[in-house]
Amino acid sequence: MKLLVTGGAGFIGSNFIHYWLKHYPEDSIVNLDKLTYAGHLSSLKDVSENSRYKFVKGDICSQKLTDSLMVDVDTVVHFAAESHVDRSILHPSEFVRSNVLGTQVLLESALKNKVKRFHLISTDEVFGSLPLNSRTKFSESTPYDPKSPYSASKSAADHLVRAYFHTFGLPITITNCSNNFGPYQNPEKFIPRMITNLILNQKIPIYGDGKNVRDWLYVEDHCWAIDLIVHNGRPGQTYCIGGQKKEFSNFEIAQKIIKLMGMDKSMLEFVADRPSHDRRYAVNWSKVHRELGWSPAKNFDDRLKSTVEWYSNNKWWWMPLKKQAESIYRK
Ligand code: NAD
Ligand code: TYD
């Protein structure tokens, strides 16, 4: 397979490139990334010399560039996006540009070049928020109800991708996944922010009452789900991907991290809540399990432990990013 991966210098994209090069020795990857604040070539240091991997610095909104990159490609895996909710509250227009316009530009190129599969990485945040203490979960049939500029822009992208399937017959698939965690995640996001703050002996800020719930998906499990769907998922279909069977609040996750790092609760600090903070996300991933045999390979506590270890052992990667990551929260 010849793949075009967009946003491959970001968190999930870089993990995906590592995963794919390891599992598919016959395949080659072109990684198109603009290298925004969230893109780091350091995340791809160990594959940069691989003859099956090529990096192109550029914007997914440039039609000329995306047309030319897709000439010799059969599969597009589209990760590139502005991805951080807190930033979308500060700068919504960048989210519309990259997430909506950028996706449409890629779809046009995919159509012109007759790619065999266009796969969009989307989010469970398009479905809005679930109440606490309910058993309801998001599934492929949940109506869209985005609440932040980020989730609204991702919703628009999902609709465009489906429209290119219905209108033009482009063979697309979409995954709506829950919150990922693991190596190479920017320290502005919850789990790496908690771990890296504690390594630096700084308090960890919990928004609001700390009762918000996310469904944590280990990034390598997510990459395996994308692999199964790109190879065997049905064109036109959406698959929801989630991580957990048991739910934990942000407060409980913070406590687990504190314990794993041998510290105590005095490191916790409750801070002002995020505006329009979605209360609970939970994903029903029975479709991908039933159709393609996917389920998370290990439990959450094991994955959290290895994530803490990764950040402890890879300060060279996150230390240069930490100052900028914290500066967004001072605004
Ligand atoms: P990220 O912010 O870490 O990486 C995004 C990458 O896209 C960066 O490398 C950035 O430079 C690149 N990019 C942004 N705009 C671009 C543009 N206009 N042209 C080219 N490249 C551009 O994001 P992530 O956490 O790896 O998320 C990847 C995808 O998965 C996103 O589409 C996001 O919406 C989705 N997603 C992420 C999560 C999560 O928990 N991280 C959960 C659900 C869905
Ligand atoms: P985040 O990683 O920003 O992902 P998302 O907003 O896309 O779900 O946040 C995960 C949860 O953690 C969310 O409920 C907000 C909360 N949070 C904190 O309590 N403190 C923090 O410092 C951050 C970054 C997030």
Side-chain angles (χ1 to χ4, degrees), residues 154-169:
K154 293 294 291 184
S155 304
D158 290 16
H159 294 316
L160 278 166
V161 170
R162 268 185 220 111
Y164 271 67
F165 170 74
H166 292 294
T167 310
F168 305 113

Side-chain angles (χ1 to χ4, degrees), residues 161-262:
V161 170
R162 268 185 220 111
Y164 271 67
F165 170 74
H166 292 294
T167 310
F168 305 113
L170 186 71
I172 64 96
T173 36
I174 299 178
T175 38
N176 292 95
C177 68
S178 57
N179 290 61
N180 284 224
F181 71 107
Y184 301 114
Q185 184 168 29
N186 196 303
E188 70 182 2
K189 296 288 181 102
F190 182 61
I191 288 181
R193 189 177 188 204
M194 304 297 109
I195 300 170
T196 54
N197 272 20
L198 290 177
I199 292 174
L200 297 173
N201 213 21
Q202 286 161 9
K203 291 201 174 194
I204 60 178
I206 305 291
Y207 294 171
D209 60 11
K211 289 185 181 156
N212 299 62
V213 169
R214 298 293 182 262
D215 180 339
W216 294 100
L217 167 64
Y218 190 64
V219 64
E220 195 182 301
D221 289 331
H222 182 195
C223 293
W224 178 42
I226 300 167
D227 172 359
L228 291 172
I229 292 162
V230 163
H231 279 110
N232 297 313
R234 290 179 290 138
Q237 292 291 308
T238 291
Y239 295 87
C240 284
I241 319 290
Q244 284 173 250
K245 288 196 172 132
K246 186 172 167 6
E247 293 184 6
F248 302 110
S249 67
N250 291 342
F251 179 63
E252 287 168 318
I253 305 261
Q255 282 180 306
K256 279 178 185 286
I257 295 173
I258 285 179
K259 197 167 162 211
L260 279 169
M261 297 184 67

Side-chain angles (χ1 to χ4, degrees), residues 3 18 29 32 63 123 133-134 142 150 182 191 203 212 242 263 303 307 312 315:
L3 291 91
H18 284 118
I29 297 179
L32 170 62
Q63 191 78 68
T123 168
N133 306 319
S134 83
T142 305
Y150 164 66
I191 288 181
K203 291 201 174 194
N212 299 62
M263 297 176 114
R303 296 303 204 183
T307 303
S312 305
K315 295 194 185 82

Side-chain angles (χ1 to χ4, degrees), residues 54-290:
K54 186 179 156 199
F55 174 68
V56 176
K57 183 170 190 274
D59 194 327
I60 54 168
C61 298
S62 163
Q63 191 78 68
K64 219 169 133 189
L65 176 64
T66 60
D67 281 357
S68 69
L69 289 177
M70 277 190 222
V71 168
D72 200 20
V73 148
D74 44 53
T75 303
V76 176
V77 187
H78 174 30
F79 295 91
E82 287 294 333
S83 71
H84 191 29
V85 175
D86 288 315
R87 284 178 188 264
S88 81
I89 296 167
L90 290 172
H91 306 292
S93 59
E94 253 320 289
F95 285 69
V96 175
R97 187 184 171 278
S98 287
N99 301 1
V100 187
L101 176 66
T103 299
Q104 190 269 333
V105 167
L106 288 168
L107 286 164
E108 273 303 304
S109 299
L111 202 56
K112 277 185 211 159
N113 286 290
K114 300 188 174 54
V115 303
K116 295 201 182 83
R117 178 59 60 91
F118 184 100
H119 183 77
L120 172 70
I121 313 299
S122 188
T123 168
D124 62 351
E125 301 192 28
V126 300
F127 302 125
S129 177
L130 295 165
L132 285 183
N133 306 319
S134 83
R135 297 170 74 93
T136 321
K137 293 189 172 196
F138 299 134
S139 74
E140 293 77 10
S141 56
T142 305
Y144 277 46
D145 188 19
K147 297 286 195 308
S148 71
Y150 164 66
S151 51
S153 65
K154 293 294 291 184
S155 304
D158 290 16
H159 294 316
L160 278 166
V161 170
R162 268 185 220 111
Y164 271 67
F165 170 74
H166 292 294
T167 310
F168 305 113
L170 186 71
I172 64 96
T173 36
I174 299 178
T175 38
N176 292 95
C177 68
S178 57
N179 290 61
N180 284 224
F181 71 107
Y184 301 114
Q185 184 168 29
N186 196 303
E188 70 182 2
K189 296 288 181 102
F190 182 61
I191 288 181
R193 189 177 188 204
M194 304 297 109
I195 300 170
T196 54
N197 272 20
L198 290 177
I199 292 174
L200 297 173
N201 213 21
Q202 286 161 9
K203 291 201 174 194
I204 60 178
I206 305 291
Y207 294 171
D209 60 11
K211 289 185 181 156
N212 299 62
V213 169
R214 298 293 182 262
D215 180 339
W216 294 100
L217 167 64
Y218 190 64
V219 64
E220 195 182 301
D221 289 331
H222 182 195
C223 293
W224 178 42
I226 300 167
D227 172 359
L228 291 172
I229 292 162
V230 163
H231 279 110
N232 297 313
R234 290 179 290 138
Q237 292 291 308
T238 291
Y239 295 87
C240 284
I241 319 290
Q244 284 173 250
K245 288 196 172 132
K246 186 172 167 6
E247 293 184 6
F248 302 110
S249 67
N250 291 342
F251 179 63
E252 287 168 318
I253 305 261
Q255 282 180 306
K256 279 178 185 286
I257 295 173
I258 285 179
K259 197 167 162 211
L260 279 169
M261 297 184 67
M263 297 176 114
D264 66 57
K265 278 188 207 158
S266 64
M267 296 306 283
L268 275 170
E269 183 181 34
F270 286 91
V271 299
D273 209 354
R274 171 191 279 172
S276 183
H277 190 178
D278 288 342
R279 209 52 169 147
R280 172 174 166 261
Y281 303 147
V283 171
N284 173 347
W285 41 268
S286 57
K287 178 175 171 181
V288 67
H289 179 63
R290 195 176 57 247

